[in-house]
Amino acid sequence: MSMVSGGDTPLLPHPKNTFTLKIGLIGDAQVGKTSLMVKYVENVFDEEYTQTLGVNCLSKKITLGSADILFYIMDLGGQREFINMLPLASEGAKAIIFLFDLTRPETLKSIKEWHRQATGFNEQAVPLLVGTKYDLFVNLDPEYQAQISKQSMRYAQAMDAPLIFCSTSHSINVQKIFKIVIAKLYNLTMRASEIKQIGDPLLIYKYLGSSRRPASGSSTSSSAS
Amino acid sequence: MSIRPVNIDEFTETSFEDIEASVSPTNWKKRSQQSSPLRDVAAAPSTASSESTTFSNDKKRYSTHTESDEDGGAFLDDFEEFHGKASRGEIVKSHFENVNLEPTFRPSTEAQESEGDDELQELTRRFGNKFDIKSRHLSGAQRPRSAFKTFKQPQSMMDLRESTTRPSSRSSHELTNSKSATNLRSGSRLGPRGIQYKKSVPALSKYDMIREEDEQDNYNDEFEDELKFEKSLLQPQFLPKEDEGSLLDLSPSQYTITADDSILTPQLHKRHRDWVRPSQLEMFREPLRHEKPAVKHRDSRKLSVSHRLKTIKQEIDHNTPMKKGRMVYNPETLKWEGNEQALAKFRDVDSFDKKALVIQGRPDLQPPRERSSSTRSGTRKHGKVVGRMMFDQDNLRWIRLDGDEKDPFAEIPDYIPPVSFSEPSLKKKLPTKRSQSQFAPSRDQCGGRYPSSATTRYHSLNTPSSSSDPTFNIDSKSLERFYHEENKWSKKVGGWFILRDAEAEGYGADQELPDPKNNSYMYEIRNMVMSSARN
């Protein structure tokens, strides 16, 4: 319905209390971008792999205090042939979630390229680095776990991005990802304590991703120095 | 927008004295479509202080608690960005709009979805308590920490006009209680039937659109208070540009000093407990208040997913070259080219990797240490490694890594304090260390990480006796001296060596360091030049 504003002050805008946040999910194929999105929005997990042919979009509204936040999540197919649609998922996004598969180190390595390209379109977005399939990760060699944890931490530091290890199938840290998005965008302080011990599903966000990118209003690509 | 149940009958109670006659109870009653006095907000902003207003009924409660705004100006003045600015409200407002992205209008009819939810009252109360922009954080003086206390309601939020054409009748909701609504100002100066709503109070509904019952609670519990008025919340033009990346721009001499690669990822903690087993994953599961029976409704849910899930397919072939902003799509590589400087950050990461790996591989950058050359890892689970000594945390003592320690005191009775003996040997060690360390880089770069001959030679200098006990003592003073010597040395030669070769030998395989592998020495040179220029 449309709000009818009083005739005496037609100049004032309509009341606004829903904030739309576009979120881009980016990462190699089969790291679990779509799964994460569907899990978050619908709380469903499907083991079957469904290739994303383009960009998937789902929206979810949450209520936060007196405002509503509408997540508009765009998940870009990880195959290379869809990378020309990267602007769709990254431009105008308030947060870009970079996903990698904790059990496949090469997907972490790819983050560099994803990050370069995504930030080329959108420098203002808050980046998040998310390692997926934590439930499989714990089966792996402790030394491997430690190496991946450290390496991803370094990536997170380089990107100034909160680092989260999640498991979509086991509902680990899925909600937190999006809470962190809100926390970073609105400078809120999250209650959830960080998880820092190697081997645990890392949740490190407090000092990462807080440095505000240039203006959030304009999605123009101001060239970085 | 707030679509709120209101019991008009209660308006005469206590705190609504200020309500203009035109919004008298009878008026309200007639306009039963009005769900809330908030909808009668006049356009004219007011920053007058107000107390708290609470409407409630048996089903739902609604609170517009606000606090005095009087010290708000002074508070804002505490921020440099706002100091002396005449129109703070405008600044804050524009900031708010800017920062908080694109608010869009939300249909009030959705409010109905939450009707009858028993939890709503509780949730609403929690909202009010924990994350109530309207009350504490926007204007509250009771929470001096809240940086939002001087936040005025943005003009855009003020345009809640009374209108009889508004739909959404909620006459069933009755307002049974109200307290001190001094923020409802006399309408005489606000226009007909206007209820002045405090500027700092966004007239936002707490009622409608509570879809995520299972999470909403979560979300509000998740944040501590805040909407802090940090400078990052402000518009960029008020901010000095932050120097990003400086954090990672360390010179080699800085980060090679330490052999503990956990320093590179200080946020990570070493594992103290057992490693997580798959069966323990449950303990990390995120609690949902209403864990949905996912299996049961799986099909239907999937259906709804497929319903809601939109897929945007590309209309152009991926072989088409494109240009977007500064990025150019290269169909051959299937990449967007441009923004190459973004990789620099990761090059730093890679050099971090190298350092960390070097440390693990006991490489050449740290001549004093590698002289002993038997440390495989600076931080093993056993503990700290200095030289060829490793601290045995179980027994709280230093042991040799290569194990062939000889105890010169093996045959000497225990009553002789070993400290007195260790002193002279330490004195011997120091020059030895220094002299040997000069050879260390080249030796180690040849791959001789564990040159047993050197070790033996070194060892023989100190321990002429051939006892086989693998322990000896180094007092803390000597250790300290080692440390300083080593630091001095690292400082001096820290920029001399490129660790790539040695490191790549052992670790290149599993540690992917692709592009910078060949020319990252340039980066080292750059750092070296920069650091020398600094001096």
Side-chain angles (χ1 to χ4, degrees):
Chain A
M1 113 186 163
S2 80
M3 181 77 175
V4 180
S5 73
D8 8 335
T9 55
L11 294 180
L12 289 178
H14 286 303
K16 301 165 179 175
N17 55 355
T18 297
F19 301 108
T20 303
L21 304 182
K22 175 176 165 182
I23 314 283
L25 297 185
I26 286 170
D28 277 359
Q30 296 195 44
V31 298
K33 297 179 291 298
T34 308
S35 290
L36 179 79
M37 176 175 76
V38 171
K39 172 72 183 181
Y40 176 65
V41 174
E42 300 285 343
N43 197 22
V44 174
F45 177 74
D46 191 350
E47 280 286 353
E48 271 178 44
Y49 172 59
T50 312
Q51 186 181 348
T52 301
L53 303 168
V55 176
N56 282 336
C57 310
L58 261 183
S59 60
K60 165 158 175 148
K61 184 176 280 191
I62 58 151
T63 303
L64 180 65
S66 49
D68 284 347
I69 290 176
L70 178 67
F71 281 118
Y72 193 68
I73 310 173
M74 303 195 84
D75 144 47
L76 175 72
Q79 270 79 14
R80 274 298 191 75
E81 66 250 39
F82 302 116
I83 206 168
N84 61 348
M85 304 178 78
L86 179 62
L88 207 61
S90 53
E91 270 186 336
K94 299 305 171 194
I96 298 179
I97 303 177
F98 296 92
L99 294 99
F100 67 98
D101 183 341
L102 286 166
T103 65
R104 288 186 291 151
E106 67 273 13
T107 59
L108 175 59
K109 182 186 162 192
S110 305
I111 294 295
K112 270 193 285 194
E113 270 299 305
W114 286 115
H115 183 258
R116 174 186 66 77
Q117 296 176 74
T119 54
F121 294 109
N122 186 344
E123 279 186 300
Q124 285 94 42
V126 172
L128 280 87
L129 182 60
V130 171
T132 59
K133 308 186 190 175
Y134 171 75
D135 53 304
L136 303 177
F137 180 64
V138 296
N139 295 323
L140 301 174
D141 178 41
E143 181 59 24
Y144 172 83
Q145 291 186 41
Q147 288 294 334
I148 290 291
S149 300
K150 287 177 188 167
Q151 181 76 345
S152 50
M153 189 65 227
R154 289 176 208 126
Y155 271 57
Q157 285 169 335
M159 298 159 65
D160 187 25
L163 174 67
I164 304 121
F165 285 6
C166 77
S167 165
T168 303
S169 63
H170 286 66
S171 295
I172 296 171
N173 285 349
V174 174
Q175 308 283 339
K176 300 243 176 44
I177 294 170
F178 294 88
K179 286 170 184 168
I180 289 173
V181 168
I182 296 177
K184 293 300 170 189
L185 285 175
Y186 295 96
N187 282 290
L188 304 176
T189 304
M190 276 181 66
R191 289 223 161 85
S193 52
E194 295 192 301
I195 303 176
K196 297 177 164 184
Q197 195 166 149
I198 289 174
D200 283 347
L202 299 180
L203 187 68
I204 300 175
Y205 61 88
K206 286 203 168 134
Y207 302 105
L208 293 166
S210 295
S211 70
R212 173 65 54 158
R213 276 86 202 146
S216 60
S218 66
S219 61
T220 56
S221 53
S222 61
S223 65
S225 61
Chain B
M1 183 194 81
S2 75
I3 304 299
R4 194 142 334 268
V6 167
N7 182 7
I8 286 96
D9 293 327
E10 298 300 321
F11 266 59
T12 51
E13 187 185 310
T14 58
S15 49
F16 283 82
E17 303 90 348
D18 280 345
I19 300 177
E20 185 199 351
S22 58
V23 259
S24 66
T26 49
N27 274 350
W28 281 86
K29 195 151 208 168
K30 279 175 201 159
R31 288 179 276 111
S32 61
Q33 288 163 341
Q34 305 275 324
S35 60
S36 161
L38 291 182
R39 305 186 58 173
D40 287 51
V41 167
S46 163
T47 58
S49 66
S50 59
E51 278 91 31
S52 164
T53 303
T54 302
F55 312 100
S56 68
N57 62 8
D58 49 344
K59 270 194 171 180
K60 311 195 172 186
R61 191 162 40 155
Y62 162 68
S63 161
T64 63
H65 169 78
T66 61
E67 291 167 3
S68 169
D69 200 27
E70 54 198 2
D71 65 338
F75 184 85
L76 262 194
D77 272 339
D78 287 342
F79 295 94
E80 212 171 314
E81 292 81 5
F82 290 93
H83 184 70
K85 294 277 197 300
S87 55
R88 288 193 202 100
E90 282 304 305
I91 296 171
V92 175
K93 171 197 152 195
S94 54
H95 158 65
F96 190 76
E97 288 173 344
N98 217 358
V99 164
N100 286 344
L101 318 168
E102 310 95 4
T104 58
F105 177 71
R106 174 163 41 84
S108 66
T109 50
E110 295 175 10
Q112 318 244 357
E113 293 184 21
S114 62
E115 262 190 321
D117 189 342
D118 282 339
E119 292 165 341
L120 202 51
Q121 283 189 43
E122 171 65 7
L123 291 174
T124 307
R125 187 186 59 75
R126 290 199 197 182
F127 294 171
N129 288 343
K130 297 191 173 179
F131 192 77
D132 194 351
I133 298 177
K134 296 177 204 172
S135 53
R136 300 178 311 191
H137 304 303
L138 292 188
S139 61
Q142 292 175 8
R143 299 181 57 103
R145 278 204 309 131
S146 167
F148 248 77
K149 62 178 162 187
T150 57
F151 243 57
K152 305 288 187 288
Q153 180 185 9
Q155 294 287 341
S156 59
M157 300 291 190
M158 300 292 302
D159 190 23
L160 300 175
R161 311 295 291 159
E162 169 191 355
S163 167
T164 53
T165 62
R166 227 170 289 146
S168 168
S169 157
R170 295 294 207 83
S171 55
S172 65
H173 295 284
E174 295 196 341
L175 195 69
T176 58
N177 189 23
S178 70
K179 301 174 199 162
S180 71
T182 52
N183 57 336
L184 301 175
R185 313 295 293 176
S186 161
S188 55
R189 63 185 178 100
L190 303 170
R193 293 180 307 174
I195 294 177
Q196 178 54 48
Y197 201 66
K198 193 171 177 310
K199 204 178 183 182
S200 59
V201 180
L204 304 181
S205 168
K206 287 180 196 163
Y207 263 99
D208 32 12
M209 258 325 279
I210 304 180
R211 263 188 200 155
E212 319 291 341
E213 300 92 347
D214 50 343
E215 296 197 10
Q216 177 180 26
D217 197 34
N218 258 348
Y219 271 86
N220 289 282
D221 284 346
E222 213 54 63
F223 303 105
E224 255 160 17
D225 33 13
E226 356 300 344
L227 270 186
K228 280 185 188 155
F229 202 26
E230 290 163 358
K231 64 176 181 180
S232 52
L233 259 176
L234 299 168
Q235 287 187 95
Q237 61 259 36
F238 299 116
L239 291 177
K241 292 262 185 221
E242 297 233 350
D243 185 19
E244 287 185 30
S246 61
L247 192 67
L248 296 169
D249 191 18
L250 302 175
S251 84
S253 61
Q254 274 175 285
Y255 52 71
T256 49
I257 289 175
T258 169
D260 188 348
D261 73 342
S262 65
I263 285 177
L264 303 177
T265 53
Q267 309 227 35
L268 286 181
H269 296 176
K270 281 178 209 148
R271 183 128 200 111
H272 304 303
R273 303 194 298 264
D274 290 341
W275 292 81
V276 176
R277 289 189 297 275
S279 57
Q280 298 172 308
L281 285 173
E282 275 301 310
M283 68 186 184
F284 298 113
R285 181 179 280 270
E286 294 185 318
L288 287 181
R289 289 202 309 142
H290 304 301
E291 185 73 46
K292 294 179 182 159
V295 181
K296 200 173 168 187
H297 297 100
R298 185 170 175 133
D299 288 342
S300 61
R301 295 212 131 240
K302 269 173 103 173
L303 237 167
S304 86
V305 170
S306 56
H307 257 303
R308 293 182 52 194
L309 190 71
K310 286 175 283 185
T311 302
I312 304 170
K313 299 195 172 162
Q314 50 192 347
E315 293 174 3
I316 54 165
D317 187 57
H318 64 262
N319 294 318
T320 312
M322 289 193 279
K323 187 173 190 308
K324 190 127 194 168
R326 56 180 166 157
M327 303 295 280
V328 178
Y329 179 65
N330 183 343
E332 289 180 11
T333 57
L334 293 175
K335 275 184 185 177
W336 289 87
E337 290 169 355
N339 194 30
E340 305 294 338
Q341 71 272 14
L343 288 175
K345 294 179 192 170
F346 293 99
R347 197 163 47 186
D348 291 344
V349 170
D350 286 336
S351 35
F352 275 157
D353 289 346
K354 308 239 176 221
K355 307 311 173 202
L357 287 170
V358 159
I359 287 153
Q360 285 196 326
R362 200 55 232 154
D364 8 294
L365 190 54
Q366 304 193 344
R369 287 187 188 176
E370 75 201 347
R371 167 193 52 80
S372 55
S373 70
S374 48
T375 44
R376 217 152 291 167
S377 140
T379 49
R380 307 172 113 200
K381 57 185 174 186
H382 297 303
K384 197 171 166 186
V385 172
V386 173
R388 59 180 167 183
M389 303 300 291
M390 184 183 67
F391 190 66
D392 176 3
Q393 287 183 329
D394 293 336
N395 300 312
L396 296 177
R397 59 177 195 167
W398 293 87
I399 57 172
R400 275 188 57 150
L401 278 174
D402 49 9
D404 61 342
E405 261 170 321
K406 297 172 185 175
D407 183 9
F409 315 109
E411 297 174 5
I412 302 176
D414 277 341
Y415 58 81
I416 299 178
V419 178
S420 60
F421 285 88
S422 68
E423 276 305 318
S425 73
L426 282 173
K427 275 175 189 159
K428 267 191 205 168
K429 271 185 215 168
L430 280 176
T432 316
K433 174 182 180 177
R434 228 177 264 122
S435 60
Q436 289 207 349
S437 64
Q438 314 230 353
F439 302 102
S442 56
R443 188 175 62 221
D444 278 3
Q445 280 187 349
C446 300
R449 286 283 152 66
Y450 317 105
S452 56
S453 64
T455 311
T456 319
R457 184 174 57 138
Y458 164 69
H459 195 73
S460 63
L461 284 173
N462 294 316
T463 58
S465 89
S466 59
S467 50
S468 59
D469 188 311
T471 65
F472 62 88
N473 296 307
I474 303 176
D475 60 5
S476 58
K477 225 175 177 178
S478 308
L479 282 173
E480 200 181 350
R481 205 161 37 176
F482 290 171
Y483 178 78
H484 289 307
E485 286 286 332
E486 188 176 345
N487 273 356
K488 245 192 276 177
W489 183 255
S490 304
K491 222 174 187 173
K492 188 169 180 188
V493 303
W496 292 6
F497 306 105
I498 296 164
L499 304 177
R500 210 114 318 179
D501 309 342
E503 174 263 324
E505 287 173 11
Y507 292 84
D510 56 346
Q511 209 66 28
E512 324 82 37
L513 313 164
D515 330 333
K517 202 169 219 160
N518 298 324
N519 52 5
S520 54
Y521 65 91
M522 296 170 119
Y523 189 68
E524 300 286 346
I525 292 173
R526 170 185 166 275
N527 279 344
M528 204 168 79
V529 171
M530 281 175 64
S531 59
S532 66
R534 231 176 275 136
N535 304 331

